[in-house]
Amino acid sequence: MNNYGIPQDAVITIAGTVGVGKSSLTQALAERLNFRTSFENVDHNPYLDKFYADFERWSFHLQIYFLAERFKEQKRMFEYGGGFVQDRSIYEDVDIFAKMHEEQGTMTKEDYETYANLFDAMVMTPYFPKPDVLVFLECDYEEVIERIKARGRQMEIDTDPEYWKKLFDRYNQWISDFNACPVVRVNINEYDLYEQPDSLDHVIEKIKHVIETARQTDPR
């Protein structure tokens, strides 16, 4: 246990739409809990710029890249025995991003099926620890757009706002049906990492309660 009473082998995953603040919360929680971090490989992603320029041409390549990187991180968490805060879950890739592109025609049905079959095979391996809790970050759509503009990634700023609206709506639907692990919903206005760092304690208490409750019914 750490000072907050959260087991040192726990895996905490942060989920939410693009720009909602997953990376910042991942880093802050890891520092408080003395956990390792698992981040998306964005800066060295060879497909990201190409994807935003041409969804139809590059959506499958991008999703396969993310799936491979995410699985490597899953294996790393397994080998360390937990103690991680993870920026975005592997479930979002298949259930939100890949599925959205398949439905809107920017990924072929055959490519989506290939991708989904690979995902299914990966989650059946012993290297795939399910999160103890998934923290879902909630906010208004307008806040998402403002945050995307504020962080200044030109490829995101130039993307049609309709894409971000579809993604936002899909996230809200996805979390309503998600049952792979316990969920904590947190509105981004509940805490302020910079002006009120102690406000994160409330979020940690929520996480602790959910993990304790889950482990009482399914102890490791």
Side-chain angles (χ1 to χ4, degrees):
M1 295 284 183
N2 45 53
N3 292 336
Y4 292 93
I6 293 179
Q8 288 298 112
D9 63 345
V11 174
I12 301 167
T13 297
I14 313 300
T17 193
V18 172
V20 77
K22 296 184 298 296
S23 298
S24 297
L25 182 59
T26 295
Q27 188 64 52
L29 282 175
E31 290 175 0
R32 288 286 190 95
L33 302 176
N34 195 27
F35 275 22
R36 297 178 179 86
T37 55
S38 175
F39 285 107
E40 283 191 307
N41 188 357
V42 173
D43 293 338
H44 300 96
N45 188 321
Y47 297 109
L48 204 55
D49 288 343
K50 297 175 182 178
F51 164 75
Y52 279 108
D54 188 343
F55 287 171
E56 187 170 357
R57 173 69 179 85
W58 295 106
S59 64
F60 177 72
H61 300 74
L62 178 70
Q63 290 308 133
I64 288 293
Y65 176 83
F66 273 134
L67 186 62
E69 291 296 304
R70 203 94 61 200
F71 185 71
K72 285 190 286 186
E73 284 298 289
Q74 292 289 140
K75 185 172 181 292
R76 183 168 74 99
M77 290 189 289
F78 171 82
E79 290 171 344
Y80 272 109
F84 276 85
V85 184
Q86 182 183 29
D87 175 11
R88 181 171 281 153
S89 73
I90 199 169
Y91 306 102
E92 293 159 79
D93 289 320
V94 66
D95 293 333
I96 298 177
F97 289 91
K99 188 59 178 175
M100 181 173 75
H101 284 289
E102 189 266 335
E103 289 180 356
Q104 70 184 18
T106 48
M107 181 185 292
T108 68
K109 180 180 179 181
E110 293 80 8
D111 281 349
Y112 175 76
E113 288 179 354
T114 297
Y115 173 85
N117 287 337
L118 181 58
F119 168 83
D120 290 341
M122 286 180 171
V123 299
M124 294 300 291
T125 70
Y127 305 116
F128 197 89
K130 288 185 177 181
D132 287 88
V133 61
L134 184 140
V135 179
F136 183 73
L137 297 184
E138 299 180 307
C139 66
D140 294 331
Y141 171 68
E142 290 75 16
E143 291 176 300
V144 169
I145 296 301
E146 290 304 313
R147 282 172 172 246
I148 288 173
K149 291 177 180 178
R151 74 178 181 183
R153 292 177 184 166
Q154 198 60 43
M155 58 189 173
E156 295 177 348
I157 295 172
D158 293 340
T159 298
D160 186 344
E162 185 61 24
Y163 174 79
W164 301 126
K165 184 63 169 65
K166 288 179 180 178
L167 192 62
F168 179 84
D169 291 341
R170 279 182 176 269
Y171 259 99
N172 287 332
Q173 180 59 52
W174 170 77
I175 197 60
S176 297
D177 300 328
F178 182 79
N179 59 10
C181 72
V183 173
V184 170
R185 290 177 180 249
V186 175
N187 191 287
I188 61 173
N189 296 308
E190 290 183 36
Y191 61 91
D192 187 332
L193 300 178
Y194 307 103
E195 299 297 328
Q196 295 180 311
D198 288 346
S199 62
L200 190 58
D201 291 349
H202 173 62
V203 177
I204 293 174
E205 279 300 315
K206 283 187 172 184
I207 293 170
K208 175 187 174 184
H209 174 71
V210 167
I211 292 177
E212 284 180 345
T213 301
R215 290 202 176 187
Q216 286 172 0
T217 59
D218 183 21
R220 295 190 175 186

